[in-house]
Amino acid sequence: MADRAGAEISEVLHARRHDLTARRRGEIAVLIAAAKLRAIEDGLETTAKIFEFTGARATANSVGSDIFWRNLRTHSLHDPAADKKRDVGQYVLLNEVPEPSWST
């Protein structure tokens, strides 16, 4: 999904500026949102399993594995997953692309 989003962005960046429609921009924004959601959900599930299997000591600073969970969680909060879910849902269910905003 991330590779597809990258290819779509590259295609748009190398095309003429007025070839980019609001619909196309919105479809790319939805694809990026879906890729981010997949990365967040898979990453949080994976790090939770790591902590589950390795125990409480895995969260110690000396081990350093907590930094991956913390970084992923920070990114998911600064670029809200709820906004991404809404955008993807509106596209899938209603065929509506998101309006440009700080999070798209």
XYZ file of all heavy atoms in Angstrom:
811
model
N 0.825 -1.178 0.000
C 0.000 0.000 0.000
C 0.879 1.255 0.000
O 0.586 2.204 -0.724
C -0.919 -0.019 1.220
C -2.204 0.684 1.001
S -3.379 0.652 2.370
C -3.471 -1.037 2.825
N 1.923 1.231 0.812
C 2.828 2.384 0.867
C 3.554 2.559 -0.467
O 3.737 3.687 -0.930
C 3.820 2.221 2.009
N 3.952 1.453 -1.089
C 4.612 1.537 -2.396
C 3.668 2.117 -3.449
O 4.069 2.941 -4.271
C 5.091 0.157 -2.847
C 6.277 -0.345 -2.057
O 6.942 0.467 -1.379
O 6.533 -1.568 -2.097
N 2.416 1.683 -3.403
C 1.428 2.206 -4.355
C 1.211 3.695 -4.132
O 1.144 4.477 -5.084
C 0.120 1.441 -4.218
C -0.906 1.899 -5.211
C -2.135 1.015 -5.192
N -3.235 1.747 -5.801
C -4.482 1.656 -5.429
N -4.828 0.843 -4.451
N -5.409 2.360 -6.027
N 1.110 4.100 -2.873
C 0.935 5.525 -2.564
C 2.127 6.328 -3.066
O 1.961 7.402 -3.651
C 0.742 5.722 -1.063
N 3.324 5.803 -2.865
C 4.530 6.485 -3.344
C 4.548 6.623 -4.858
O 4.918 7.677 -5.393
N 4.118 5.573 -5.544
C 4.068 5.623 -7.009
C 3.041 6.646 -7.488
O 3.288 7.393 -8.446
C 3.735 4.240 -7.565
N 1.900 6.695 -6.809
C 0.856 7.662 -7.178
C 1.343 9.096 -6.961
O 1.112 9.979 -7.782
C -0.412 7.416 -6.363
C -0.990 6.034 -6.524
C -2.097 5.953 -7.531
O -2.614 7.014 -7.930
O -2.432 4.830 -7.921
N 2.016 9.332 -5.850
C 2.548 10.665 -5.560
C 3.602 11.048 -6.601
O 3.613 12.166 -7.113
C 3.132 10.735 -4.141
C 2.008 10.633 -3.121
C 3.922 12.022 -3.934
C 2.493 10.430 -1.705
N 4.466 10.109 -6.911
C 5.508 10.373 -7.909
C 4.894 10.718 -9.262
O 5.344 11.641 -9.951
C 6.414 9.151 -8.033
O 7.432 9.388 -8.969
N 3.861 9.997 -9.631
C 3.180 10.257 -10.898
C 2.605 11.676 -10.929
O 2.757 12.395 -11.914
C 2.057 9.239 -11.091
C 1.320 9.357 -12.397
C 0.227 8.316 -12.511
O 0.506 7.132 -12.270
O -0.915 8.716 -12.834
N 1.989 12.080 -9.835
C 1.396 13.417 -9.750
C 2.482 14.492 -9.769
O 2.341 15.524 -10.424
C 0.515 13.544 -8.486
C 0.168 14.980 -8.191
C -0.740 12.713 -8.651
N 3.568 14.252 -9.058
C 4.647 15.240 -9.002
C 5.314 15.457 -10.353
O 5.851 16.529 -10.621
C 5.690 14.832 -7.963
C 5.250 14.948 -6.511
C 6.327 14.380 -5.586
C 4.959 16.391 -6.149
N 5.284 14.432 -11.199
C 5.930 14.538 -12.500
C 4.952 14.893 -13.620
O 5.337 14.965 -14.774
C 6.671 13.239 -12.823
C 7.849 13.027 -11.937
N 7.781 12.274 -10.787
C 9.106 13.498 -11.988
C 8.948 12.277 -10.184
N 9.785 13.024 -10.885
N 3.694 15.111 -13.279
C 2.682 15.492 -14.267
C 2.523 17.018 -14.276
O 3.030 17.711 -13.395
C 1.349 14.824 -13.924
N 1.795 17.504 -15.248
C 1.508 18.933 -15.292
C 0.610 19.302 -14.116
O -0.272 18.531 -13.736
C 0.838 19.315 -16.604
C 1.768 19.154 -17.795
C 1.096 19.573 -19.047
N -0.243 18.948 -19.108
C -1.068 19.084 -20.112
N -0.731 19.817 -21.139
N -2.245 18.507 -20.101
N 0.813 20.471 -13.577
C 0.094 20.906 -12.377
C -1.421 20.879 -12.562
O -2.154 20.453 -11.705
C 0.547 22.300 -11.965
C -0.211 22.811 -10.761
C 0.344 24.067 -10.258
N 1.416 23.700 -9.333
C 2.167 24.561 -8.703
N 2.002 25.840 -8.891
N 3.101 24.152 -7.888
N -1.938 21.342 -13.691
C -3.385 21.393 -13.842
C -3.992 20.036 -14.196
O -5.193 19.929 -14.337
C -3.878 22.479 -14.778
C -2.926 22.936 -15.827
N -1.659 23.357 -15.575
C -3.085 23.053 -17.159
C -1.073 23.725 -16.685
N -1.912 23.541 -17.657
N -3.175 18.989 -14.302
C -3.718 17.646 -14.486
C -4.226 17.062 -13.165
O -4.971 16.091 -13.170
C -2.662 16.701 -15.071
C -2.373 17.014 -16.530
O -3.166 17.753 -17.157
O -1.354 16.518 -17.049
N -3.816 17.659 -12.065
C -4.241 17.180 -10.748
C -5.614 17.762 -10.406
O -5.760 18.963 -10.221
C -3.226 17.564 -9.668
C -3.575 17.113 -8.253
C -3.663 15.595 -8.161
C -2.553 17.654 -7.265
N -6.601 16.900 -10.323
C -7.950 17.335 -9.963
C -8.151 17.161 -8.459
O -7.383 16.461 -7.788
C -9.006 16.492 -10.702
O -8.890 15.131 -10.269
C -8.833 16.586 -12.212
N -9.205 17.777 -7.957
C -9.541 17.619 -6.540
C -9.842 16.152 -6.232
O -9.475 15.632 -5.165
C -10.729 18.500 -6.180
N -10.487 15.479 -7.152
C -10.814 14.054 -6.968
C -9.539 13.221 -6.865
O -9.407 12.380 -5.987
C -11.694 13.583 -8.129
C -12.039 12.122 -8.088
C -13.106 11.886 -7.085
N -13.357 10.461 -6.940
C -14.262 9.978 -6.144
N -15.027 10.778 -5.445
N -14.436 8.704 -6.044
N -8.613 13.447 -7.765
C -7.349 12.684 -7.774
C -6.557 12.946 -6.493
O -6.025 12.034 -5.892
C -6.524 13.085 -8.997
C -5.203 12.399 -9.115
C -5.379 11.031 -9.726
N -4.066 10.518 -10.068
C -3.577 9.381 -9.572
N -4.299 8.642 -8.791
N -2.379 8.996 -9.900
N -6.487 14.211 -6.066
C -5.799 14.542 -4.826
C -6.446 13.819 -3.659
O -5.777 13.248 -2.816
C -5.834 16.060 -4.587
C -4.995 16.477 -3.381
C -5.657 17.527 -2.504
N -6.964 17.255 -2.032
C -7.257 16.566 -0.908
N -6.317 16.068 -0.160
N -8.501 16.382 -0.539
N -7.768 13.796 -3.638
C -8.487 13.129 -2.564
C -8.264 11.625 -2.559
O -8.114 11.013 -1.495
N -8.233 11.011 -3.734
C -7.999 9.569 -3.820
C -6.595 9.206 -3.323
O -6.413 8.200 -2.641
C -8.208 9.085 -5.253
C -9.667 9.100 -5.660
C -9.896 8.824 -7.136
O -8.920 8.888 -7.924
O -11.055 8.543 -7.503
N -5.633 10.050 -3.649
C -4.277 9.811 -3.157
C -4.227 10.007 -1.649
O -3.589 9.227 -0.931
C -3.262 10.716 -3.884
C -3.161 10.308 -5.357
C -1.896 10.653 -3.206
C -2.360 11.260 -6.213
N -4.922 11.011 -1.130
C -4.969 11.244 0.313
C -5.577 10.042 1.037
O -5.100 9.640 2.109
C -5.765 12.513 0.628
N -6.607 9.440 0.457
C -7.233 8.253 1.057
C -6.259 7.075 1.035
O -6.152 6.330 2.021
C -8.552 7.903 0.327
C -9.051 6.533 0.731
C -9.602 8.964 0.611
N -5.550 6.904 -0.053
C -4.572 5.818 -0.142
C -3.471 5.991 0.905
O -3.075 5.031 1.577
C -3.974 5.771 -1.553
C -2.993 4.652 -1.846
C -3.621 3.290 -1.608
C -2.501 4.764 -3.273
N -2.994 7.201 1.069
C -1.974 7.485 2.084
C -2.537 7.232 3.483
O -1.874 6.623 4.329
C -1.450 8.924 1.941
C -0.671 9.073 0.640
C -0.591 9.316 3.150
C -0.378 10.506 0.266
N -3.770 7.667 3.718
C -4.406 7.450 5.027
C -4.532 5.963 5.324
O -4.254 5.519 6.445
C -5.777 8.121 5.059
N -4.934 5.180 4.336
C -5.071 3.735 4.530
C -3.725 3.086 4.824
O -3.624 2.211 5.695
C -5.717 3.106 3.295
N -2.679 3.521 4.134
C -1.341 2.975 4.383
C -0.860 3.328 5.791
O -0.278 2.486 6.489
C -0.356 3.498 3.333
N -1.116 4.564 6.215
C -0.732 4.972 7.571
C -1.481 4.162 8.617
O -0.896 3.720 9.606
C -0.998 6.461 7.780
C -0.016 7.362 7.083
C -0.353 8.821 7.368
C 0.642 9.757 6.730
N 0.342 11.164 7.067
N -2.781 3.969 8.402
C -3.566 3.172 9.348
C -3.042 1.755 9.459
O -2.933 1.202 10.550
C -5.037 3.146 8.925
C -5.836 4.392 9.216
C -7.195 4.317 8.542
C -5.989 4.588 10.718
N -2.731 1.154 8.326
C -2.216 -0.212 8.330
C -0.898 -0.283 9.102
O -0.674 -1.188 9.919
C -2.025 -0.695 6.891
C -1.517 -2.101 6.744
C -2.604 -3.175 6.900
N -2.898 -3.443 8.285
C -4.113 -3.681 8.773
N -5.161 -3.682 8.003
N -4.307 -3.913 10.041
N -0.015 0.681 8.877
C 1.270 0.706 9.577
C 1.085 0.900 11.083
O 1.732 0.237 11.893
C 2.161 1.808 9.007
N 0.183 1.795 11.461
C -0.069 2.056 12.874
C -0.644 0.816 13.548
O -0.158 0.374 14.597
C -1.027 3.253 13.048
C -0.327 4.558 12.665
C -1.559 3.330 14.478
C -1.285 5.731 12.491
N -1.687 0.237 12.956
C -2.345 -0.906 13.570
C -1.417 -2.114 13.656
O -1.351 -2.783 14.693
C -3.625 -1.235 12.809
C -4.695 -0.168 13.017
C -5.901 -0.319 12.102
O -5.942 -1.280 11.297
O -6.794 0.527 12.192
N -0.696 -2.404 12.584
C 0.235 -3.537 12.603
C 1.382 -3.290 13.575
O 1.801 -4.189 14.297
C 0.794 -3.814 11.207
C -0.247 -4.406 10.275
O -1.352 -4.764 10.743
O 0.038 -4.503 9.068
N 1.898 -2.074 13.591
C 3.004 -1.745 14.489
C 2.620 -1.829 15.952
O 3.368 -2.382 16.769
N 1.452 -1.292 16.290
C 1.014 -1.357 17.687
C 0.735 -2.792 18.114
O 1.062 -3.193 19.237
C -0.219 -0.479 17.904
C 0.030 1.022 17.832
C -1.286 1.784 17.957
C 1.009 1.479 18.903
N 0.144 -3.574 17.225
C -0.107 -4.980 17.553
C 1.201 -5.740 17.735
O 1.353 -6.532 18.677
C -0.943 -5.643 16.461
C -1.273 -7.092 16.774
C -2.115 -7.759 15.698
O -2.626 -7.064 14.804
O -2.259 -8.984 15.781
N 2.164 -5.489 16.864
C 3.452 -6.169 16.948
C 4.193 -5.801 18.230
O 4.699 -6.683 18.939
C 4.326 -5.821 15.724
O 3.628 -6.233 14.547
C 5.673 -6.490 15.787
N 4.257 -4.512 18.546
C 4.973 -4.118 19.762
C 4.255 -4.614 21.012
O 4.908 -4.999 21.982
C 5.172 -2.589 19.831
O 3.912 -1.938 19.678
C 6.138 -2.117 18.764
N 2.938 -4.652 20.989
C 2.198 -5.195 22.139
C 2.535 -6.662 22.339
O 2.728 -7.119 23.476
C 0.695 -5.011 21.935
N 2.638 -7.409 21.251
C 2.996 -8.839 21.347
C 4.422 -9.012 21.854
O 4.702 -9.926 22.628
C 2.833 -9.530 19.993
C 1.411 -9.658 19.534
C 0.639 -10.606 20.408
C -0.775 -10.767 19.888
N -1.627 -11.491 20.812
N 5.322 -8.148 21.410
C 6.709 -8.226 21.898
C 6.733 -8.060 23.406
O 7.368 -8.837 24.124
C 7.592 -7.169 21.196
C 7.818 -7.555 19.743
C 8.923 -7.002 21.937
C 8.472 -6.471 18.911
N 6.013 -7.051 23.908
C 5.979 -6.831 25.356
C 5.284 -7.986 26.066
O 5.680 -8.386 27.158
C 5.293 -5.510 25.687
C 6.062 -4.297 25.232
C 5.404 -3.192 24.736
C 7.448 -4.265 25.303
C 6.108 -2.072 24.321
C 8.166 -3.156 24.887
C 7.495 -2.054 24.393
N 4.268 -8.541 25.447
C 3.544 -9.668 26.042
C 4.469 -10.880 26.183
O 4.477 -11.552 27.210
C 2.347 -10.014 25.158
C 1.485 -11.133 25.689
C 0.319 -11.425 24.755
O -0.216 -10.485 24.132
O -0.049 -12.611 24.645
N 5.247 -11.148 25.166
C 6.123 -12.322 25.185
C 7.379 -12.126 26.021
O 7.891 -13.066 26.611
C 6.519 -12.736 23.760
C 5.373 -13.262 22.953
C 5.189 -12.850 21.645
C 4.448 -14.158 23.483
C 4.129 -13.322 20.889
C 3.384 -14.635 22.746
C 3.226 -14.210 21.436
N 7.898 -10.902 26.041
C 9.164 -10.675 26.741
C 8.978 -10.188 28.171
O 9.925 -10.177 28.936
C 10.033 -9.662 25.972
O 9.301 -8.451 25.806
C 10.438 -10.214 24.618
N 7.787 -9.758 28.513
C 7.522 -9.354 29.887
C 7.833 -7.895 30.149
O 8.270 -7.145 29.275
N 7.618 -7.518 31.393
C 7.747 -6.121 31.800
C 9.159 -5.573 31.626
O 9.342 -4.388 31.382
C 7.307 -5.959 33.250
N 10.167 -6.412 31.726
C 11.543 -5.931 31.581
C 11.834 -5.362 30.200
O 12.746 -4.561 30.037
C 12.526 -7.061 31.868
C 12.653 -7.343 33.324
C 13.778 -8.290 33.594
N 13.393 -9.039 34.782
C 13.870 -10.196 35.121
N 14.771 -10.776 34.369
N 13.465 -10.801 36.197
N 11.058 -5.785 29.195
C 11.274 -5.282 27.837
C 11.003 -3.787 27.738
O 11.462 -3.131 26.812
C 10.392 -6.028 26.845
N 10.269 -3.229 28.711
C 9.975 -1.802 28.676
C 11.051 -0.965 29.356
O 10.979 0.263 29.342
C 8.618 -1.507 29.351
O 8.694 -1.886 30.715
C 7.489 -2.249 28.657
N 12.039 -1.602 29.928
C 13.110 -0.870 30.606
C 13.929 -0.069 29.596
O 14.169 -0.511 28.470
C 14.015 -1.836 31.359
N 14.359 1.104 30.006
C 15.187 1.939 29.128
C 16.469 1.245 28.713
O 16.962 1.460 27.608
C 15.515 3.270 29.812
C 14.338 4.214 29.846
O 13.400 4.064 29.081
N 14.383 5.173 30.749
N 17.008 0.417 29.589
C 18.265 -0.263 29.270
C 18.116 -1.243 28.107
O 19.064 -1.490 27.375
C 18.796 -1.005 30.505
O 17.849 -1.977 30.925
N 16.927 -1.771 27.907
C 16.676 -2.698 26.800
C 16.437 -1.920 25.506
O 16.925 -2.297 24.447
C 15.467 -3.615 27.119
C 15.136 -4.516 25.938
C 15.733 -4.431 28.370
N 15.684 -0.856 25.609
C 15.489 0.028 24.464
C 14.373 -0.343 23.511
O 14.153 0.359 22.533
N 13.649 -1.411 23.767
C 12.590 -1.789 22.822
C 11.353 -0.910 22.947
O 10.538 -0.854 22.028
C 12.212 -3.262 22.995
O 11.760 -3.509 24.302
N 11.217 -0.205 24.051
C 10.049 0.662 24.235
C 10.053 1.862 23.289
O 9.004 2.418 22.985
C 9.962 1.140 25.682
C 11.155 2.006 26.063
O 12.297 1.620 25.731
O 10.945 3.058 26.685
N 11.201 2.240 22.793
C 11.311 3.420 21.947
C 10.522 3.251 20.645
O 9.935 4.198 20.131
C 12.793 3.790 21.660
C 12.887 5.188 21.059
C 13.452 2.784 20.750
C 12.628 6.278 22.046
N 10.463 2.022 20.123
C 9.732 1.777 18.877
C 8.233 1.983 19.090
O 7.570 2.623 18.277
C 10.013 0.373 18.345
C 11.470 0.152 18.066
C 12.236 -0.660 18.882
C 12.082 0.786 16.994
C 13.581 -0.845 18.631
C 13.426 0.609 16.734
C 14.176 -0.213 17.551
N 7.722 1.446 20.195
C 6.305 1.633 20.509
C 6.019 3.121 20.737
O 5.048 3.646 20.218
C 5.923 0.829 21.757
C 4.515 1.108 22.188
C 3.384 0.504 21.725
C 4.088 2.091 23.129
N 2.281 1.042 22.327
C 2.677 2.024 23.201
C 4.742 3.026 23.935
C 1.926 2.843 24.030
C 3.991 3.839 24.754
C 2.606 3.746 24.803
N 6.886 3.783 21.505
C 6.677 5.192 21.831
C 6.694 6.054 20.568
O 5.857 6.939 20.402
C 7.746 5.669 22.812
C 7.440 7.056 23.364
C 8.453 7.532 24.396
N 8.654 6.602 25.479
C 9.813 5.954 25.725
N 10.861 6.162 24.959
N 9.912 5.127 26.735
N 7.635 5.803 19.664
C 7.698 6.577 18.423
C 6.446 6.363 17.571
O 5.877 7.320 17.046
C 8.934 6.205 17.610
C 10.196 6.781 18.197
O 10.155 7.685 19.022
N 11.326 6.250 17.773
N 6.025 5.124 17.446
C 4.830 4.815 16.668
C 3.600 5.468 17.286
O 2.783 6.072 16.588
C 4.634 3.302 16.589
C 3.426 2.810 15.822
C 3.487 3.254 14.373
C 3.346 1.301 15.910
N 3.490 5.393 18.587
C 2.337 5.985 19.282
C 2.345 7.512 19.134
O 1.310 8.113 18.906
C 2.384 5.588 20.762
C 1.098 5.792 21.450
C 0.043 4.842 20.868
N -1.246 5.208 21.411
C -2.328 5.431 20.698
N -2.312 5.290 19.405
N -3.444 5.764 21.263
N 3.513 8.119 19.233
C 3.608 9.570 19.076
C 3.171 9.995 17.680
O 2.394 10.935 17.521
C 5.055 10.039 19.342
O 5.405 9.684 20.680
C 5.195 11.535 19.156
N 3.646 9.296 16.656
C 3.258 9.628 15.285
C 1.759 9.430 15.073
O 1.117 10.218 14.381
C 4.043 8.800 14.273
C 5.457 9.242 14.131
N 5.804 10.427 13.535
C 6.612 8.659 14.520
C 7.122 10.566 13.565
N 7.634 9.504 14.157
N 1.204 8.396 15.675
C -0.218 8.126 15.483
C -1.090 9.164 16.187
O -2.243 9.371 15.806
C -0.581 6.719 15.966
O -0.541 6.625 17.371
N -0.561 9.823 17.206
C -1.327 10.849 17.907
C -1.171 12.221 17.263
O -2.102 13.021 17.261
C -0.907 10.911 19.379
C -1.242 9.651 20.188
C -0.629 9.744 21.573
C -2.730 9.437 20.267
N 0.002 12.484 16.695
C 0.221 13.782 16.041
C -0.458 13.856 14.677
O -0.720 14.942 14.169
C 1.715 14.067 15.901
C 2.360 14.456 17.179
N 2.106 15.660 17.800
C 3.230 13.800 17.975
C 2.799 15.726 18.926
N 3.484 14.610 19.050
N -0.704 12.717 14.082
C -1.412 12.630 12.809
C -2.579 11.676 13.073
O -2.499 10.488 12.793
C -0.468 12.082 11.731
C -1.043 12.174 10.345
O -2.077 12.830 10.160
O -0.457 11.568 9.433
N -3.661 12.179 13.645
C -4.707 11.344 14.255
C -5.268 10.225 13.369
O -5.717 10.459 12.250
C -5.805 12.343 14.602
C -5.125 13.660 14.682
C -4.002 13.592 13.695
N -5.209 9.006 13.913
C -5.744 7.840 13.216
C -7.255 7.961 13.031
O -7.796 7.485 12.028
C -5.391 6.567 13.976
N -7.934 8.604 13.962
C -9.393 8.757 13.841
C -9.753 9.542 12.583
O -10.731 9.216 11.893
C -9.951 9.452 15.082
N -8.968 10.558 12.270
C -9.206 11.332 11.047
C -9.004 10.458 9.815
O -9.753 10.543 8.837
C -8.284 12.538 10.966
C -8.561 13.584 12.030
O -9.618 13.500 12.697
O -7.711 14.472 12.202
N -7.977 9.629 9.856
C -7.681 8.733 8.736
C -8.816 7.726 8.542
O -9.233 7.457 7.424
C -6.365 7.984 8.956
C -5.182 8.869 9.257
C -4.764 9.636 8.032
C -3.667 10.592 8.389
N -3.916 11.939 7.925
N -9.301 7.173 9.651
C -10.399 6.200 9.565
C -11.648 6.850 8.973
O -12.331 6.252 8.147
C -10.697 5.624 10.945
C -9.631 4.680 11.432
C -9.950 4.152 12.813
C -8.813 3.252 13.295
N -9.074 2.730 14.643
N -11.924 8.066 9.382
C -13.085 8.783 8.845
C -12.936 8.993 7.340
O -13.859 8.736 6.565
C -13.249 10.126 9.550
C -14.481 10.902 9.075
C -14.434 12.370 9.432
N -13.271 12.983 8.799
C -12.351 13.697 9.448
N -12.445 13.906 10.730
N -11.327 14.218 8.806
N -11.763 9.445 6.915
C -11.529 9.721 5.496
C -11.657 8.455 4.649
O -12.300 8.463 3.597
C -10.150 10.344 5.288
C -10.037 11.745 5.855
O -11.083 12.356 6.172
O -8.894 12.220 5.999
N -11.052 7.374 5.110
C -11.124 6.108 4.370
C -12.566 5.603 4.354
O -13.068 5.171 3.316
C -10.167 5.055 4.974
C -10.381 3.690 4.324
C -8.711 5.489 4.799
N -13.234 5.678 5.487
C -14.618 5.217 5.562
C -15.546 5.994 4.654
O -16.397 5.409 3.964
N -15.411 7.312 4.634
C -16.262 8.129 3.764
C -16.009 7.813 2.289
O -16.928 7.828 1.480
C -16.034 9.616 4.022
C -16.688 10.086 5.295
C -16.468 11.570 5.542
O -15.454 12.134 5.160
N -17.431 12.187 6.197
N -14.765 7.501 1.965
C -14.445 7.170 0.582
C -15.038 5.809 0.206
O -15.677 5.661 -0.834
C -12.929 7.173 0.370
C -12.529 6.837 -1.040
C -12.694 7.760 -2.064
C -11.997 5.594 -1.355
C -12.339 7.466 -3.369
C -11.639 5.283 -2.656
C -11.812 6.215 -3.659
O -11.467 5.912 -4.945
N -14.841 4.825 1.075
C -15.320 3.470 0.780
C -16.850 3.409 0.777
O -17.451 2.821 -0.119
C -14.734 2.455 1.787
C -15.387 1.093 1.648
C -13.226 2.340 1.606
N -17.473 4.011 1.765
C -18.921 3.891 1.907
C -19.717 4.885 1.058
O -20.788 4.555 0.552
C -19.316 4.051 3.373
C -18.768 2.992 4.327
C -19.100 3.352 5.759
C -19.299 1.617 3.965
N -19.192 6.099 0.920
C -19.954 7.153 0.255
C -19.315 7.651 -1.038
O -19.869 8.539 -1.692
C -20.136 8.339 1.215
C -20.781 8.011 2.569
C -20.739 9.227 3.485
C -22.199 7.512 2.372
N -18.131 7.131 -1.361
C -17.382 7.563 -2.541
C -17.059 9.056 -2.494
O -17.064 9.740 -3.511
C -18.129 7.213 -3.830
C -17.222 7.241 -5.036
O -16.017 7.006 -4.932
N -17.782 7.514 -6.197
N -16.809 9.569 -1.281
C -16.457 10.965 -1.084
C -14.979 11.082 -0.738
O -14.489 10.355 0.129
C -17.268 11.577 0.063
C -18.741 11.650 -0.191
C -19.506 12.166 1.013
O -18.882 12.489 2.061
O -20.737 12.249 0.920
N -14.289 11.993 -1.400
C -12.875 12.221 -1.065
C -12.806 13.273 0.026
O -13.682 14.149 0.114
C -12.052 12.645 -2.297
C -11.991 11.521 -3.326
C -12.586 13.910 -2.924
N -11.777 13.227 0.867
C -11.674 14.206 1.946
C -11.325 15.596 1.428
O -10.646 15.748 0.417
C -10.544 13.651 2.814
C -9.741 12.783 1.915
C -10.696 12.246 0.902
N -11.822 16.588 2.130
C -11.457 17.962 1.843
C -10.008 18.180 2.297
O -9.581 17.586 3.297
C -12.369 18.929 2.611
C -13.795 18.916 2.126
C -13.949 19.492 0.722
O -13.263 20.477 0.408
O -14.745 18.938 -0.046
N -9.250 18.998 1.602
C -7.876 19.271 2.059
C -7.888 19.835 3.473
O -8.703 20.706 3.811
C -7.376 20.318 1.061
C -8.207 20.104 -0.155
C -9.561 19.671 0.350
N -7.011 19.322 4.309
C -6.895 19.795 5.687
C -5.463 19.567 6.155
O -4.637 19.055 5.397
C -7.863 19.055 6.612
O -7.461 17.697 6.755
N -5.189 19.922 7.401
C -3.844 19.728 7.944
C -3.488 18.248 8.007
O -2.315 17.895 8.002
C -3.722 20.355 9.326
C -3.732 21.837 9.277
C -4.734 22.667 9.676
C -2.691 22.695 8.777
N -4.400 23.978 9.452
C -3.133 24.026 8.905
C -1.444 22.461 8.221
C -2.379 25.103 8.506
C -0.668 23.559 7.826
C -1.140 24.845 7.977
N -4.466 17.363 8.102
C -4.162 15.955 8.246
C -4.290 15.163 6.952
O -4.130 13.959 6.948
C -5.062 15.317 9.321
O -6.405 15.353 8.913
N -4.576 15.832 5.810
C -4.651 15.093 4.543
C -3.592 15.584 3.592
O -3.123 16.671 3.650
C -6.021 15.247 3.860
O -6.281 16.616 3.585
C -7.118 14.642 4.682
